[in-house]
Amino acid sequence: MSCLNKSVYLPVVFLLVFAIVLPLFSVVSATTSVSSVPNGHATWTVADSPYSLTSNIIIYSGETLNIHPGVVVHLNGYQIQVYGLLNAQGLNNNPIYFLNDGFSSSQLIFRASSDPDCTVSHGVFYSVPLTIEGGSPTLANNYFTGTSSDAVITINSGGASIINNIISTQNAQDGIHINSGYVIITGNTLSGAGAQQGCGIYNAGSTASITANGITNFYTGIYTNKPGVIKQNVITNNVNDGIVIQGTPEVTISENVIAYNTCGISRDADIQNNTIAYNTYGLWGQTASSTIRHNNIIDSTKESIHLTETVTDVNAANNWWGTTDEAAIRKTISDYDATLRPNLGKVTFTPFLSSPAYAPAVPLVVVPTPPPIPSTTPSPSDTPNPTSSSTPDAPTVSLYPYPTYLPDPTDQHVQPPDEPRFGGFSLTDITTAVVIVIAVSVAITIILFLNRIQQTTKPQGN
């Protein structure tokens, strides 16, 4: 038999190696295109991530879509519309990523028929707004970046629970905009762009419970024209108002820190046990309808109370004004003056407290930075998605001693997407190295095998 020619078998070897290596790499880096929920039930796993939408994903009533921790979803300008059940629960150090891919039309929408157990937790939404048109979804421990829409989260109906999220807006948009429904908003951090419009929370139609949130750098921190409770929030550094109450709804404002705004609280409410400090104006435009007591109304740069167009008297007794000098307190109040302001009522501020009221101290406000967009597909170390859809516990806020309500920057709810690491190398690095080692081993084995064939078929000398 004639011997094999190296110029013939070496190209064959490389083709074989390429055929072996290519499928191995495709396992690591393949993208899964999706356009529906097949058979009414689908589970998106890290092994098949990233997922790329090629049309709107509609989860019909009775259908379920589960999304596992670590999955990356490219919306590509399409929508995920939920009529059934969406269960997308990431992990603290392994979130689910929703990316808009440069398309402002990317969106997640909960329809009126959506399952009450819908849960989205530990997700990172990069410029993907969320709209709730009904149902009672739970949004917990997510990170939302600003979008080009009017609000990052819009509630048009239903009973949503928005808990422990971080919402960072851009331009003049609202963080949370409520048109109708009953909404629980607890433990969130909302930061604005300091624009001349935009509210941290804009409530135009809900009996909302707004508790233990941090709201900073908006035009207005909280706007509401509906009854509700605003309690234990930290509302600071807003361009105009910390809180605005429009009309005469029954709003209870208690145990909040309202500081470094132009106006602390505008208009009437039940205002008790708050610290209203370092604002240009502490209270603005109150009437006899307001209850104002046991607050610390201190260190206003212009006025503690500024009345506007009412002839009714205002009772503001039993508050702490930062001093026990009655004349000094009087100088911080703008009310009736026979010459300058004859159309206004009078503010009664005596008796006043001789020491600070039982109310929270002003904390340091920390605005978290967003986690980076994942540059590689998360490693295929899939963790099953939790099946429980129970509402996560709201943070426990103890006012005494006074806490910092905003999240500790060293312990944010959403962490950067760290893969498991071994000796400084990620699982993806190790997987790639294994693929290369396998390919080289296969090449060497083939070469040795062909070389042995060549030796056994070589003609023997005489």
Side-chain angles (χ1 to χ4, degrees), residues 33 56 61 84 126 141 143 155 158 190 236 256 266 268 292 301 303 322 351 429 439 442 451 455:
S33 297
N56 290 339
S61 182
Y126 274 102
N141 300 297
Y143 200 118
I155 300 100
L190 300 97
T236 65
N256 301 278
S266 292
D268 291 319
I292 307 169
T301 57
E303 296 167 352
D429 296 335
V442 171
N451 189 57
Q455 294 296 326

Side-chain angles (χ1 to χ4, degrees), residues 144-442:
F144 296 88
T145 70
T147 73
S148 59
S149 61
D150 292 334
V152 176
I153 299 175
T154 301
I155 300 100
N156 293 323
S157 186
S161 296
I162 303 174
I163 302 170
N164 292 347
N165 301 281
I166 298 171
I167 302 172
S168 179
T169 71
Q170 65 184 30
N171 302 323
Q173 68 177 162
D174 298 335
I176 300 172
H177 188 108
I178 309 166
N179 291 313
S180 184
Y182 178 78
V183 186
I184 297 173
I185 304 174
T186 297
N188 303 280
T189 299
L190 300 97
S191 62
Q196 290 299 313
Q197 297 180 47
C199 300
I201 299 171
Y202 185 100
N203 179 23
S206 170
T207 303
S209 173
I210 303 172
T211 60
N213 302 282
I215 305 172
T216 188
N217 207 34
F218 289 91
Y219 182 71
T220 296
I222 298 174
Y223 169 96
T224 184
N225 62 9
K226 296 295 180 180
V229 174
I230 301 174
K231 185 175 182 179
Q232 296 178 350
N233 301 280
V234 177
I235 305 169
T236 65
N237 296 100
N238 295 288
V239 174
N240 199 45
D241 297 283
I243 300 174
V244 174
I245 299 92
Q246 189 66 38
T248 56
E250 295 181 2
V251 178
T252 298
I253 302 175
S254 66
E255 301 174 20
N256 301 278
V257 171
I258 306 165
Y260 300 105
N261 310 283
T262 298
C263 294
I265 301 173
S266 292
R267 306 303 177 181
D268 291 319
D270 183 348
I271 305 169
Q272 299 192 56
N273 296 98
N274 302 279
T275 291
I276 305 166
Y278 309 110
N279 303 284
T280 306
Y281 301 91
L283 301 177
W284 180 282
Q286 280 70 34
T287 73
S289 298
S290 284
T291 300
I292 307 169
R293 61 188 174 202
H294 302 141
N295 302 283
N296 298 320
I297 308 173
I298 58 175
D299 295 310
S300 302
T301 57
K302 286 192 176 179
E303 296 167 352
S304 298
I305 297 182
H306 181 97
L307 300 190
T308 53
E309 63 277 347
T310 178
V311 296
T312 61
D313 294 338
V314 175
N315 184 353
N318 296 305
N319 294 283
W320 167 245
W321 306 90
T323 179
T324 56
D325 185 333
E326 184 172 341
I329 297 171
R330 165 54 61 190
K331 289 180 180 179
T332 70
I333 296 174
S334 176
D335 58 356
Y336 172 83
D337 182 280
T339 303
L340 301 176
R341 297 178 295 275
N343 59 322
L344 298 181
K346 292 184 177 182
V347 174
T348 300
F349 61 90
T350 57
F352 48 79
L353 300 181
S354 59
S355 61
Y358 206 43
V362 179
L364 173 67
V365 177
V366 177
V367 178
T369 56
I373 296 175
S375 57
T376 59
T377 303
S379 58
S381 57
D382 208 359
T383 303
N385 216 28
T387 57
S388 171
S389 59
S390 61
T391 302
D393 291 336
T396 300
V397 178
S398 175
L399 286 177
Y400 315 106
Y402 309 130
T404 298
Y405 301 143
L406 294 184
D408 185 334
T410 63
D411 185 27
Q412 294 305 328
H413 298 299
V414 178
Q415 301 291 340
D418 293 332
E419 295 182 37
R421 304 191 73 84
F422 306 90
F425 296 95
S426 70
L427 195 56
T428 300
D429 296 335
I430 295 173
T431 303
T432 303
V434 170
V435 169
I436 294 173
V437 169
I438 292 172
V440 171
S441 300
V442 171

Side-chain angles (χ1 to χ4, degrees), residues 18-29 431 434-436 438-439:
F18 181 77
I20 294 170
V21 171
L22 183 60
L24 291 173
F25 274 108
S26 67
V27 170
V28 176
S29 59
T431 303
V434 170
V435 169
I436 294 173
I438 292 172

